[in-house]
Amino acid sequence: MPVIAIDGPVASGKGTLARRLAKALNFAYLDTGSLYRAVASLVLARGSDPNDSVLAAKIADGFSAGDIDRDDLRDEKVGQAASVVAANQEVRKSLLEFQRNFAKAPPNNHLGAILDGRDIGTVVCPEAKIKLFISATPEVRAERRHKELLGRGDQSIYARVLEDLRERDERDRNRDTAPLRAADDAVVLDTSDMDADKAFILAKKLIDERLSV
């Protein structure tokens, strides 16, 4: 069963790309960031601090697929909390099996699996047939995130979005457990000067070539 790993920082375009590729290839898709967002959401719902490592680990240990359907997962405060929760080694350990099981046995008779996140190609699925690392400059990513928030009707200030994004990048790249980095055998795709269509065309061409081998 082929697995495609797509990694990259926040607002790089990896989620949009992964969803389009999954639909085109009839692959099952898992946004692994939603798992950490769900844990963070549950921590916040209890009125607790995402730095409460014991509570976060306990919630992750009892994680179920239904938790991904929480309504507030895309909220900015949940995203910030998720970046903190994701640095928790026990949380990552609990969610690792869930992700690997999804990759090994994609639901609904799909032909393969696409997982996107921060450590898919390096930790979750190091044996993935195809690995992509999607990147873009912090300024471009902040502008994308800013427009996304405004489009949802949320209040947003570009400078604040850029600052938050840089803080999340710093946490993700420097955490002790599964830091954000491109796998040695990943293809790095910089989307700073690409729209979603161009990124999709390039990625689909690469994947088609790799799958045909």
Side-chain angles (χ1 to χ4, degrees), residues 105-155:
N108 303 320
N109 298 314
H110 281 98
L111 301 178
I114 294 182
L115 290 78
D116 82 53
R118 303 288 194 278
D119 64 341
I120 309 305
T122 55
V123 176
V124 179
C125 298
E127 76 294 343
K129 185 175 182 65
I130 300 165
K131 300 176 186 177
L132 301 178
F133 189 89
I134 312 303
S135 185
T137 66
E139 292 76 15
V140 167
R141 291 189 287 121
E143 181 63 25
R144 290 172 181 170
R145 182 61 175 156
H146 174 59
K147 289 180 178 178
E148 178 187 353
L149 291 170
L150 292 177
R152 290 192 341 221
D154 296 337
Q155 292 185 342

Side-chain angles (χ1 to χ4, degrees), residues 152-193:
R152 290 192 341 221
D154 296 337
Q155 292 185 342
S156 179
I157 299 173
Y158 170 79
R160 178 60 185 274
V161 173
L162 179 59
E163 179 184 358
D164 289 346
L165 183 146
R166 283 175 168 158
E167 289 177 356
R168 290 173 67 176
D169 283 352
E170 186 73 12
R171 282 197 297 270
D172 290 345
R173 289 184 176 125
N174 294 295
R175 64 192 181 206
D176 293 332
T177 303
L180 169 67
R181 68 175 182 85
D184 293 339
D185 54 347
V187 175
V188 178
L189 185 62
D190 189 327
T191 66
S192 299
D193 297 320

